[in-house]
Amino acid sequence: MKKGHSFFQAKNAFQEDSGFRTFLLSILIAGLAYGLYKGMLDNFLAEVVGMGEMGRGVTEFFRELPGILLIFILAAFYMLSAETLYKAGAVIMLVGMGMHAVLPPTKVLATLAICVYSLGEHIQIGMKSTLALKYARPGCGGLALGAQSAANQVGTLAGYLVIVFVFTVFAAQSPYTLFFGIATVLVGVSMICALRIRGKSETDSNKRRFYFHRKYYKYYMLEMFYGARKQVFFTFGPYVLILFYGANAATISLLFAVSAIACFFASPVVGRIIDRLGYKIVMISDTLILVIVCFFYGFAHHLFPRDVAFVVCCINYVLDSVISLASMASNLYVQDLSDNEAEVKATISTGVSINHLITIFIALFGGWIWKTLGIELLFIISAILGLCNSAYAATIKTKARKNT
C-alpha cells in the first residue's frame, strides 16, 4: 500500500466507475457546513436564544433523541437502499439547517431545528460507511472508510477555522444569521451532490442490525458508562466555557479545531497503545485519567485565577477529546467475544443505541444538576461514572486475540 493519508489515496481505494467522487464531495461539503454550524451553535444558544444550563440540557435531549428513533426508522424502511436513505438524510438536514436560518431564535424553534437537523445527520451516519464499502475496490474497504472519514474531518475543520476568523474579525456584529444561511446553502449543495448518486445497493430484510446476547452484557454496561460520562463533556464542556468564563464563538471554534487536530494525530497512537497493552488496561486507565480531567474542569475556578482556570479548562477539554479515542478498545473486546464478523457489526450497533439511550437522560438531568446543585457536582458525577467504568472494566476476562 502506498504511504500517505487515506483522503489523498481515495482514487486508489474506490472503483473508478462507482461515482465515489460525487459521494466524497457531498461528505466534504456537508462537513464544512457542520463545522460552521457546530462552531457557533453553543454561543448562538447562549447569546441569542438566551438558553441557560437547564435549557441546554433539554435541547441536547432532543438532539440525541433521533439516535434512539433511528432503530425504528431503519426497521420501518429496511426495504430502502443505502443510497435512498443517504439522500433522504440530506434532505432532512437541509430542512433543519434552513429552519435555523429563517425562523425566529426562540428556545422552542431552535430546539426543533436542532432535532430535525440531527435526524437527517443520524440517518446519514450509517449510510456513509455502507456506501464507502460498496464503492471500495476489493481489499480496500479500510482505506475507503478512512477516505470517507477524512473528507468529513477536513470539511469540519475548515468550517471551524472559518468561524474562528470571522468571529474574531467581526466580533461586534455576531453574524449568526448570515452564517446559518451560508451553512444552509452548503447543505443544499451537499444534497444536490447526494441526489446525483446513482445506483441502488441491495437490501436484505433478514439482515440483523442489532444483536443482544448474554455474553455481551459487560460490553453493554461499559457503553452505558461511556455514554454517560461522554455526554457531560460534549454538552456542558463548551457551555461551561461560555456561561462561566465568557468564551466567544471564535474561542469555542478554535478549541473545537484544536481538539479535532489533536484527535487526528492521536488516533493511530491510541490504536497502537491498545494493540500493545491490550484493551482491558486501556479501558481501566483512560477513565482513571478522566477523574483528574473532571476534577480540574469542575474546580479550576477555586484553585486558580479566572484567566488561568479558563486555560486549564480548555486544556482539559482537549485532553478529554483525546481520552475518548480509547473507547475503540471496547470494539476489540466485542471482537474477542464474537463468533463471526456479522455478529461484531450487529453488537456494536446495539452498543451505539445503548450509548444514545443513556446520553439523552444525562443531557436532561445534567442541566438540572448544574442549575440546582452546581457545576462542581456535575463533574464529580462524571468522575464517579469514570471510576465505575474502570472498576467494571477490571472484571473483564481477556483471552488471546483472534486472527481476523
Side-chain angles (χ1 to χ4, degrees), residues 128-183:
K128 290 178 184 178
S129 298
T130 301
L131 293 176
L133 291 173
K134 175 191 174 184
Y135 299 151
R137 295 179 187 272
C140 293
L143 191 60
L145 288 173
Q148 171 249 298
S149 177
N152 182 67
Q153 291 173 2
V154 169
T156 301
L157 179 59
Y160 288 155
L161 295 177
V162 169
I163 294 298
V164 171
F165 174 77
V166 172
F167 278 77
T168 298
V169 176
F170 304 100
Q173 285 81 9
S174 298
Y176 292 109
T177 302
L178 172 63
F179 273 84
F180 277 126
I182 293 173

Side-chain angles (χ1 to χ4, degrees), residues 212-322:
F212 289 93
H213 195 282
R214 182 177 169 185
K215 65 183 177 182
Y216 294 114
Y217 78 93
K218 288 189 176 182
Y219 166 69
Y220 303 144
M221 290 298 297
L222 288 171
E223 280 298 303
M224 287 184 64
F225 286 129
Y226 173 70
R229 78 93 171 160
K230 174 199 72 173
Q231 195 63 25
V232 171
F233 266 92
F234 184 86
T235 304
F236 302 108
Y239 232 56
V240 168
L241 299 177
I242 294 168
L243 295 185
F244 205 82
Y245 293 99
N248 57 26
T251 302
I252 295 298
S253 290
L254 180 60
L255 182 63
F256 290 159
V258 171
S259 296
I261 294 171
C263 290
F264 185 83
F265 288 105
S267 293
V269 176
V270 173
R272 286 195 292 269
I273 291 174
I274 294 173
D275 285 337
R276 178 165 296 184
L277 300 181
Y279 54 77
K280 180 177 179 178
I281 293 177
V282 171
M283 283 192 286
I284 294 172
S285 59
D286 80 310
T287 43
L288 292 177
I289 299 172
L290 175 71
V291 173
I292 301 174
V293 171
C294 289
F295 172 77
F296 281 109
Y297 214 93
F299 291 88
H301 59 286
H302 293 297
L303 303 174
F304 308 104
R306 184 179 180 84
D307 291 343
V308 176
F310 174 69
V311 174
V312 169
C313 287
C314 289
I315 294 172
N316 279 339
Y317 185 86
V318 176
L319 285 176
D320 179 72
S321 299
V322 174

